[in-house]
Amino acid sequence: MPPHLLSRPLPDAIKTEVERLFLDKVISNLGLCVSVYDIRSIEGGSIHPGEGCSTYKVSFRLLMFKPFNGEVLVGRIIGYDDKGLQVSLDFFSDISIPGHLMQFGTVRGPDGRWMLKTEDGDELYLDLDDEIRFLVSSTKYPPIPIDQKEDDPPFAPMQIVGSIKGDGLGLLAWWAADEEEGEEAAEQEQEQ
Amino acid sequence: MKIQKANAGILTNFEVLDFLRTRGAKVDPMGCLGAVAASECKVYEYLLKTPACNQTRESIYEFVKRSAGFMLAEADKLNVINWRPSSAADAYAMIEECGKRFSRDYRGEACDEDKRVQEFLDMVKEVLPPPPPKAEAEAMQE
């Protein structure tokens, strides 16, 4: 607890300090901290020799964003490349949908966009800013790299891998407008 | 720092939304500078766009009570509460092994799974409020 916060009421000051430490940060294997849920107990208040700040032992609960495998989420497409799509929930953007986890028949079109060719011959493009519903396939927490080369993409401490292989997954527009087509496709996939 | 319990419980989108609302989050980013941080505001705005934005605690309790006969896993119930399926395709996406689960009814007898899925969807439509229409977004795109 740094000295400049000592004049505030204790629970508020401790909450501010906990927020500063954890809010919007990823804890390995536990997810992204969204908010401090509550503070359960505060003990201590001792001052260590040579420091101006008082030390407390605080027990608190954090609200984490950690989707389980099999959870369904809706996000926006923010990019695409050779390996697949990048999807963003407004507060979290490191979600990728690799090519092998897309619906059967999705290929990369001539201009780089991913596209699904249906049985009827329609070409359904996956465009930027389209809303997409996906299943969380796995979540990785890569360790912090020691050196980073200049053109490496910025380090992402938490990466979610999503899948749109399955009924009801993919662009919202595919399933909303034509429910009949969707059900037919579902029956055909089940037969396969 | 010592982690006492890695997972103290699962929250639905509605519960997170309610929590942020009671802390003072509002859509206007300037209005909530004091009470909540910018990152929490982003989460709040994202959740407002999901079907959780007009759910109530009572509707969720009602849903949990009524879904007891369908033998769903916790994860399935969470998906359904968060995203409110309105068609059979949605239900198949959100419930794992949907065909197998719905092939037996609550008495354990075999039954037609499509009919069962439809019963489930009707119950969802009745208990959970529909998400507000995205009329504004469409108007802006035009």
Side-chain angles (χ1 to χ4, degrees), chain A:
Chain A
M1 177 67 55
H4 65 266
L5 287 179
L6 283 175
S7 57
R8 297 174 60 179
L10 191 59
D12 288 346
I14 293 209
K15 189 150 184 266
T16 310
E17 203 44 30
V18 173
E19 277 180 353
R20 187 181 67 85
L21 284 171
F22 295 108
L23 202 59
D24 212 25
K25 301 213 171 69
V26 171
I27 304 181
S28 194
N29 294 325
L30 291 179
L32 173 73
C33 175
V34 168
S35 188
V36 175
Y37 194 65
D38 62 10
I39 300 197
R40 307 183 81 171
S41 71
I42 306 174
E43 301 159 24
S46 53
I47 302 187
H48 290 213
E51 292 177 2
C53 38
S54 47
T55 311
Y56 297 88
K57 186 166 164 189
V58 185
S59 176
F60 54 89
R61 287 192 289 191
L62 294 174
L63 206 132
M64 309 297 285
F65 169 65
K66 183 185 193 236
F68 55 86
N69 293 351
E71 184 169 351
V72 171
L73 294 171
V74 172
R76 277 179 322 120
I77 300 182
I78 51 169
Y80 42 77
D81 59 13
D82 290 339
K83 304 201 196 100
L85 292 174
Q86 256 100 37
V87 177
S88 154
L89 312 176
D90 299 324
F91 56 95
F92 184 78
S93 306
D94 295 311
I95 304 173
S96 63
I97 301 186
H100 63 90
L101 287 178
M102 300 196 201
Q103 302 261 9
F104 290 117
T106 309
V107 290
R108 209 137 186 254
D111 54 356
R113 290 182 296 170
W114 289 84
M115 150 189 77
L116 170 64
K117 218 174 179 128
T118 65
E119 271 88 18
D120 308 333
D122 289 333
E123 288 179 349
L124 301 171
Y125 279 95
L126 291 129
D127 277 323
L128 291 181
D129 283 342
D130 279 341
E131 294 209 329
I132 185 169
R133 186 189 281 154
F134 60 96
L135 197 79
V136 173
S137 167
S138 64
T139 314
K140 288 187 268 199
Y141 299 93
I144 304 177
I146 313 280
D147 317 292
Q148 263 190 315
K149 297 192 277 274
E150 298 231 352
D151 357 306
D152 272 352
F155 172 62
M158 177 168 152
Q159 288 166 346
I160 297 184
V161 174
S163 151
I164 48 173
K165 199 183 232 181
D167 307 327
L169 300 175
L171 293 195
L172 293 188
W174 294 351
W175 301 98
D178 33 23
E179 282 188 306
E180 290 173 12
E181 268 191 46
E183 282 174 347
E184 276 178 37
E187 282 173 22
Q188 282 166 355
E189 278 183 8
Q190 279 173 9
E191 282 171 22
Q192 284 169 11

